[in-house]
Amino acid sequence: MAEGSSCPRIKTHSILTDFDVFWNQKLGTGISGPVRPCVKKSSKERFALKCILDNPRSRTEVNLHVMCSGHPNVVQVLDVYANDLQLHDGDSRKPYLLMVLELMEGGELFDRISKEQKFTERKAAMYLKQVADAVRHCHDLNVAHRDLKPENLLLKDNTEDAQIKLSDFGFAKIDDGNLQTPYFTPYYVAPQILVAHRHQTKIKMGLIPTSKPYTYDKSCDMWSLGVILYIMLSGYPPFYSETPSRQITTEMKRKILLGDYQFPETEWQQVSEEAKSVVKSLLHTDPSCRMTVYELLSHIWLTNAPETKLSSPAVFSDKEGLADINLAHSQQLTAMRIPDCPLTLKSIAESENPIIRKRKYRQSNVDDSTCQDCIKKPTLSSASLKSLRDIIAYCILPPKVDDDENVLNDLVAKCLEHNSKENGFHSILSTWNWDGKRFDSKVDKSQLAHLVSELVQTLTREGIQTEENGVS
Ligand SMILES: Nc1ncnc2c1ncn2[C@@H]1O[C@H](COP(=O)(O)OP(=O)(O)OP(=O)(O)O)[C@@H](O)[C@H]1O
């Protein structure tokens, strides 16, 4: 089934012919609004109804969810209707896709854990295994879920051994591994795509076997499983900010990229080394080295975890704290996901960016006093930008040379000449102890590329533009 194509199971007659919908009740709420209970008229069975505005993105969600449903650990889609509805007072009728979903009466995973009398490593492993089974099913179908977070892991009912099921395919994507399409511009694409690109090139050259196809989107799901496992075992996330905010901070992104997390003694001393090893393998900073779902499922800890009691239920019972954990996880996933529409360079002549347009305006000899914004904006010279991009390109793309370290040191030194006042660049360099001439510790090139690429994006987003190019 092609992404965005129409789903063969979509019914166009009114849902009210087949179901009674309880419009004023809600089972939960997400970004697309409330999920409501409904009852099938013919069988009196109860279901959940998710209503999403009908557009190509929603069609993709429906298609991919239908495609992955049918596995015991994926919330099943019973029916899909395309109906025009007026869901909000004062709104006009709008086209909606109505997904009739298997009813999950046991709530979200972490809420359940908060109520467990005795939550053990073994129970955490059992939960993780079910989620991993769902992920394997999706990955086998070449679907990356890309939104694996506690709120999307629902329990079937309130019984002791209720099944966990994966829901919400709103960010899911067919991951065909074909990252060679030439629509991206190397300097602006997320470094992970380019790492994947290089990996594919190596496969093509026969340097590494093809048996373990690697794609970044799928590895993002595995990273997410690592975060969920870490939280189950300790009660708090591996990467967090002391002051939670709506936006993920640069500091938090840096920590994620560097894998900068700890296992503090208080909560982790009783956790087994095997469990920690699974966490480490899932949170591996290099996506190509991250554990795959098959490796996870065959890990001994999943079937052999000890009955050690964990402290996480007490932490989860603080609702505000749990909301902060969920918020942090959502933000991190947003940061991890590769944008579906990669940024590309446009010439200044074609740019729609208002700042660039102002610059064009200025260049056409308009009195500067009419364009104060432009005057105040610092200008990132094309030489500084080029030198930053040279570092990204060198870290990500071939050619490889024998004198690798010296070449990189020279590129960085040159870049410093052009960006001596750029604090962001200095802070990146301090990550690997730049001593003024060379790095004092071993540089992870893919991380360096990512950090520099983020800096370039931040500088250009802030309106600091080169003379020649605009970024759209
Ligand atoms: N099948 C279901 N049975 C019971 N409750 C459900 C079901 N599906 C969703 N919910 C509840 O509704 C909430 C929102 O659902 P869902 O995550 O699918 O919506 P969304 O708008 O895509 O949300 P998000 O903001 O996470 O993208 C869930 O967190 C859950 O509490």
Side-chain angles (χ1 to χ4, degrees), residues 320-337:
E320 262 182 44
L322 191 54
D324 284 344
I325 291 176
N326 287 338
L327 176 65
H329 197 129
S330 290
Q331 288 173 338
Q332 289 170 18
L333 277 168
T334 308
M336 295 287 286
R337 265 189 299 265

Side-chain angles (χ1 to χ4, degrees), residues 27-32 35 48 50 75 101-104 108 149 151-152 154 168:
L27 297 162
T29 308
I31 209 155
S32 47
V35 172
K50 179 169 176 174
V75 169
L101 304 169
E102 153 181 32
L103 182 62
M104 302 299 290
E108 296 171 15
K149 54 186 184 185
E151 293 145 298
N152 291 334
L154 306 178
D168 192 359

Side-chain angles (χ1 to χ4, degrees), residues 81-141:
Y81 291 80
N83 286 176
D84 282 354
L85 294 176
Q86 185 203 354
L87 283 185
H88 308 284
D89 288 343
D91 254 12
S92 54
R93 284 169 81 82
K94 289 188 181 137
Y96 279 92
L97 290 175
L98 310 173
M99 300 171 76
V100 181
L101 304 169
E102 153 181 32
L103 182 62
M104 302 299 290
E105 296 185 271
E108 296 171 15
L109 175 62
F110 285 2
D111 277 331
R112 160 63 71 94
I113 294 177
S114 72
K115 292 173 195 135
E116 303 228 359
Q117 297 294 325
K118 187 180 173 225
F119 184 59
T120 62
E121 247 189 78
R122 180 161 298 181
K123 197 81 194 268
M126 200 195 81
Y127 283 146
L128 187 72
K129 179 173 180 318
Q130 293 188 51
V131 183
D133 272 332
V135 171
R136 177 183 52 190
H137 174 68
C138 299
H139 287 190
D140 280 351
L141 293 167

Side-chain angles (χ1 to χ4, degrees), residues 355-372:
I355 294 157
I356 307 294
R357 287 215 312 271
K358 276 188 189 167
R359 178 160 288 127
K360 269 197 282 185
Y361 190 55
R362 198 167 63 153
Q363 278 175 355
S364 55
N365 292 328
V366 174
D367 178 358
D368 274 357
S369 62
T370 60
C371 187
Q372 290 302 320

